[in-house]
Amino acid sequence: MDFTFKTDYGFVFIIIPLILAGVISYFYYKKTRLENFQKKLFTFLRFLSLFFLFLLLLSPVVSFIKKITEDPVNVFLIDNSESLLLENRDAKIKEIIAEKIKVSVNAENLFFLYSENLYREIELKDLQNIPFTGINNFKTNLTQSIYSLPGRLSGKNLSSVTIVSDGIINEGGNPVTAVKTLNVPFNYILTGDTIQKNDLVLKNIFYNKTAFIESNVPVKLEINSFNYDRDIKIDLYEEDKLLDTRYVKVEKGKNSYEASFNVQSNTEKIVKYKIGIEGAEDEITLKNNYSEIFIKFVSNKFKVLAIAGGPGADFAFIKEELLKINNFETSFLTQKSGSEFYEGAAGDLGSYDAFIFIGYPTQVTNPLILNEVREQLDKRNASLIMFTSRDMDMQKLSLFENKLPMKIGGISDREEETGIKTFASLKNEIFKNGELISSINSFPNIFKTSTSFLINSSAETLLLMGRNSEPAFVIQNTDKNRSAAFLPYGVYKWRLSPAKNNAREVLNYLLTTSVVAITDKKENKNFVIETTKSVYSKFEDVEFQARITNFEIQGGEKILVKISGNGISKELELTKKENKYYEGKINIESDGNYEYKAELISKDNVAESVQNRFAIGENNFEYRLTRADNSVLNSLKNATGGRNFSGLNSDGINEALLNFDEKARSEFRSKRNFELNVNPYFLAAVILLMCLEWFVRKRNSLP
């Protein structure tokens, strides 16, 4: 250990207190009647006391410097994900550990198991008892495991990281960026055969988790076939009952194939489907031949309220066509007076998905009703479709300007005739049946007023008026504005034309496509909730994710999930993460099918409830890839200057690690400063010297 001595005034100034202390001490005891030894002792004690006191005036600092050598640390990351059960790779890893990994006496060696993240640290003596079953090891996320490593090392001098794995990574992406943050060599030992074995894999299923009843719902499959040249059989089961079968011709040299099924339901329910590929005897595993999904079938009926400014020919034609649309549950209100309708009271306006104004509002319309409709449009983000008339009150309609695809400019009731025409090229997502809608070009003229409209920049004009090519049909579909407007009127003339046409079919198509295009039934839900997947293992947590979508926050909202099935009943309150998002996890210990009912609770009342299903069974995600792959591990090695230890014996591996250790071994100096003028130990020493001198003087009867 070394030390240094410094002052604020330089070392030369130490001579002055040294001389002063010596002179004062000498003359102080020069004439005393003491024996020679005693005189020297008293003079020395006084000298030390005075010198140390004078020294304090110079603000002295003593620095002690200690040399410290920090030993390197070698980390071994050992893959214990479920894919290691293929081809007895788990036994191969234990063999590699026993034969190739020798503990270096010149470094600290740490062993960690990993799969979806760092699982736990394991002692050397336990490396032959690595668990591969009965744990949550159904994903391999090397990136997250590496990012978690520094937190486990507590500032240790990391020398190298050696990964023992089959190289199959199915979560977290390529970890090259992660390894560069550690700035150490990454080595690897590959276990498993890099030659693809015979296998049939149901790799992915593409489907909608929610579908409408009475409609064909496609279920598309992505299939991998390795080393087969034959027809493979794919079965679709509904609630464990065989529903349909497909055959796909596969051949060697081509690995990827597609197939599809169509499913449907005539009632609202949640259905479990299982898709399975008939296995072959020589497959590396059969665990990747099947998958299970749940589809929730909901009503496809749109609840629509059509409000007319009064009886009329346009209203009669539109009403007739609305009643023909099977998936519309349409109610009608025909204005009788300012606050009365021929059909009776307006009732609850909060249950409708879409509102259709037909020549509404008029001059006699009660503004209170308009405000109530506007409130529901805001609250539910429902859609609004407007058909104009000559009697429509444009001033009152301006209340809905933020819910319409246009603004009202100059108002005029001067009537003109106009034809309706399509664009030269119909390329839009609304009118996909271009041939049908194009027939509108030959329909009789109808009417328009001279009122001018300013179309919103985010709206799309789909039909034009023959006169001056003004917009005739405009639609807007944004987060806050789901609306459409048919700006001319007199559509009744289309069906009165003596020339045969398909006016009824066109109007029906116009109504149907408009409502469906701008009405999102999901958005009208107060909240949505899903599990992160359909099937979980009993060794992992079931994860719920929820979001409040169309509900006015009151404060203190919570989402409660009630789970039932197989004699099990559990409850889980989700945790609010941010804004309107909620998450939660729960473990279910038994295999089987389960239902859950989620409730959005606000002010101690259930605002809405949602039901769905999930299953506890075998999680086969780790078997989607079966070939050992060193491509990612090799990229880590190249990016960090590491080594491939796969072909080396224990001596070769140990020699390489020793080289890394020597480069990582670091020596640094630890410095500790003591400021004597504030150091309690130094001040105590000065006081002790002065007390000692006083004590000795008294013992020798000196004043």
Side-chain angles (χ1 to χ4, degrees), residues 342-392:
Y342 286 104
E343 294 83 359
D348 179 19
L349 300 179
S351 61
Y352 294 102
D353 301 310
F355 293 84
I356 300 178
F357 288 175
I358 307 168
Y360 183 85
T362 65
Q363 288 185 349
V364 300
T365 301
N366 188 335
L368 293 178
I369 297 178
L370 296 179
N371 286 326
E372 187 176 351
V373 174
R374 171 59 192 262
E375 181 181 344
Q376 293 304 323
L377 287 170
D378 286 334
K379 185 176 181 180
R380 291 178 54 80
N381 200 18
S383 55
L384 174 62
I385 300 173
M386 180 196 75
F387 286 83
T388 62
S389 75
R390 188 174 185 181
D391 298 328
M392 178 179 282

Side-chain angles (χ1 to χ4, degrees), residues 99 202 227 241 316 475 629 652:
E99 296 181 359
L202 180 55
N227 306 326
K241 180 181 178 181
I475 196 164
D629 184 3

Side-chain angles (χ1 to χ4, degrees), residues 86-221:
L86 288 166
E87 301 180 293
N88 294 319
R89 294 173 190 170
D90 54 334
K92 182 65 175 176
I93 275 190
K94 294 176 182 179
E95 179 184 330
I96 288 171
I97 292 171
E99 296 181 359
K100 293 192 174 187
I101 298 178
K102 304 298 182 182
V103 177
S104 172
V105 296
N106 298 315
E108 185 178 2
N109 300 276
L110 300 178
F111 302 88
F112 293 94
L113 304 179
Y114 79 93
S115 52
E116 187 173 2
N117 202 339
L118 285 185
Y119 177 55
R120 64 180 172 88
E121 186 176 353
I122 188 169
E123 298 293 332
L124 178 64
K125 60 183 177 62
D126 298 323
L127 288 177
Q128 292 302 311
N129 299 310
I130 297 174
F132 291 92
T133 58
I135 60 174
N136 181 6
N137 62 341
F138 306 107
K139 294 179 183 178
T140 306
N141 189 334
L142 183 55
T143 299
Q144 186 59 46
S145 301
I146 292 170
Y147 277 129
S148 300
L149 193 57
R152 302 288 190 98
L153 298 180
S154 303
K156 293 179 180 293
N157 180 24
L158 184 60
S159 172
S160 69
V161 177
T162 301
I163 301 169
V164 185
S165 171
D166 60 6
I168 296 176
I169 297 172
N170 46 38
E171 282 286 313
N174 195 315
V176 168
T177 301
V179 301
K180 288 181 179 179
T181 62
L182 296 182
N183 197 30
V184 297
F186 270 73
N187 318 298
Y188 71 89
I189 302 174
L190 186 71
T191 178
D193 198 336
T194 57
I195 298 175
Q196 177 66 58
K197 302 298 177 62
N198 297 348
D199 201 15
L200 295 171
V201 184
L202 180 55
K203 187 176 181 181
N204 284 308
I205 302 178
F206 304 99
Y207 67 102
N208 290 327
K209 295 181 180 179
T210 303
F212 290 134
I213 61 174
E214 301 175 346
S215 61
N216 286 326
V217 181
V219 178
K220 297 182 179 181
L221 314 178

